[in-house]
Amino acid sequence: MKIDRKTAEKNEKIVLELSRKEENSYCCDCGQKGVRWASATIGCFLCINCAGMHRRLGTHISKIKSLTLDSWTDKEIEGMVRGGNRSVNGCYLAGGEERPCPKEPKDMERYIKEKYEMKLFQKRKEARGEQYGSEVSVLGEMGFSDSDRARRALLRTEGNVEEAISILVEDTKEAPLESKLADVFDGGADEEHTEERDVWEEVQTEDQEGPAERRERFEGETLFDDEENPWM
Ligand SMILES: [Zn+2]
């Protein structure tokens, strides 16, 4: 889809401003500081390593874009505004999952596959949510008629109705999308990121390769730099 320059510039500002929010400044999957990539289909902000793993899931699951080197459509931006790392983890995790060490790419890759492709943690949470049927009815009688929201709140409080009410009341106060957009709209553009451009160009080359060549290249790559890794 062709995006005109004005829209692209406006949307780049918005996505960069969103990436500066505290919740989005750490990778949604490994928790490392510094995000330059995002999944336009999932709505999360990612580090370079996790973004690479998302790309291997395929664009039907996760469409990875550079925050600055790709053009964003209005629809994608809307998804990013509605999403964000906190909301994505709230949706895809059941809570209490052990995050693998980013130093172990194989573990990290499996975790990302389980989280977004198999939706293992989400299913676990849904199964647990069915236990709260009577609490959901109680909340419904009190006027919290959206049972999905009520169940999500109960999951977060492990079935505590009073705490769930606090969450639901707090959520109601959340600003609507229009004002969220207005909040981020005036953000300034970022400076050039040379390292990121290198990777982006590499990605463009990669898209023209066959799977065998690609695998060869990935196997030869060093995924993690010890000095930059705060987990080790
Ligand atoms: Zn990461």
Side-chain angles (χ1 to χ4, degrees):
M1 186 189 160
K2 193 96 184 80
I3 305 158
D4 67 82
R5 219 180 106 216
K6 217 174 132 214
T7 307
E9 280 172 7
K10 177 197 74 176
N11 287 346
E12 184 183 319
K13 274 187 186 174
I14 298 175
V15 81
L16 280 173
E17 203 53 44
L18 287 170
S19 75
R20 292 194 191 100
K21 286 172 79 174
E22 177 71 14
E23 61 167 299
N24 297 331
S25 60
Y26 297 89
C27 174
C28 190
D29 292 333
C30 73
Q32 292 193 90
K33 180 99 181 144
V35 300
R36 305 303 309 163
W37 301 84
S39 169
T41 40
I42 293 170
C44 61
F45 292 83
L46 298 161
C47 76
I48 186 167
N49 297 320
C50 294
M53 294 174 191
H54 273 247
R55 287 187 65 245
R56 295 202 279 280
L57 294 177
T59 50
H60 61 295
I61 295 171
S62 187
K63 186 178 173 191
I64 293 298
K65 296 188 101 167
S66 160
L67 298 185
T68 50
L69 301 166
D70 286 310
S71 297
W72 291 76
T73 65
D74 287 341
K75 196 158 182 281
E76 287 168 341
I77 288 294
E78 198 179 305
M80 296 310 293
V81 172
R82 287 189 194 281
N85 288 0
R86 197 156 56 121
S87 149
V88 166
N89 279 335
C91 169
Y92 285 92
L93 296 178
E97 287 87 3
E98 289 247 351
R99 190 149 56 186
C101 169
K103 178 73 182 168
E104 300 294 339
K106 281 207 169 70
D107 292 349
M108 204 64 222
E109 187 136 28
R110 193 189 54 226
Y111 169 81
I112 286 173
K113 208 177 163 74
E114 287 173 348
K115 184 173 172 184
Y116 301 106
E117 190 181 271
M118 298 158 73
K119 298 186 181 166
L120 208 70
F121 313 123
Q122 196 183 47
K123 283 178 190 158
R124 199 174 291 163
K125 179 165 63 178
E126 279 163 10
R128 213 201 289 157
E130 283 162 18
Q131 298 165 359
Y132 298 129
S134 58
E135 286 87 348
V136 169
S137 317
V138 170
L139 288 171
E141 281 162 21
M142 293 174 73
F144 300 103
S145 53
D146 185 336
S147 57
D148 287 339
R149 277 187 57 215
R151 182 164 281 122
R152 276 201 298 275
L154 285 161
L155 280 165
R156 282 167 64 185
T157 64
E158 294 183 338
N160 184 314
V161 174
E162 265 179 43
E163 285 175 24
I165 292 170
S166 311
I167 290 175
L168 289 166
V169 169
E170 212 39 52
D171 281 358
T172 319
K173 289 188 212 151
E174 274 253 313
L177 179 67
E178 292 70 28
S179 70
K180 280 192 187 176
L181 269 171
D183 280 351
V184 295
F185 190 64
D186 292 327
D190 230 1
E191 69 274 17
E192 283 280 307
H193 287 268
T194 321
E195 191 197 349
E196 192 195 359
R197 179 168 286 280
D198 290 346
V199 176
W200 184 76
E201 278 164 2
E202 200 180 311
V203 164
Q204 309 309 304
T205 326
E206 218 174 279
D207 285 342
Q208 288 148 27
E209 291 174 345
E213 295 161 81
R214 191 176 308 168
R215 198 175 321 118
E216 225 166 76
R217 274 166 20 79
F218 273 119
E219 277 165 7
E221 263 171 35
T222 312
L223 274 174
F224 297 97
D225 181 345
D226 284 0
E227 278 174 11
E228 280 179 5
N229 186 345
W231 288 67
M232 292 310 293

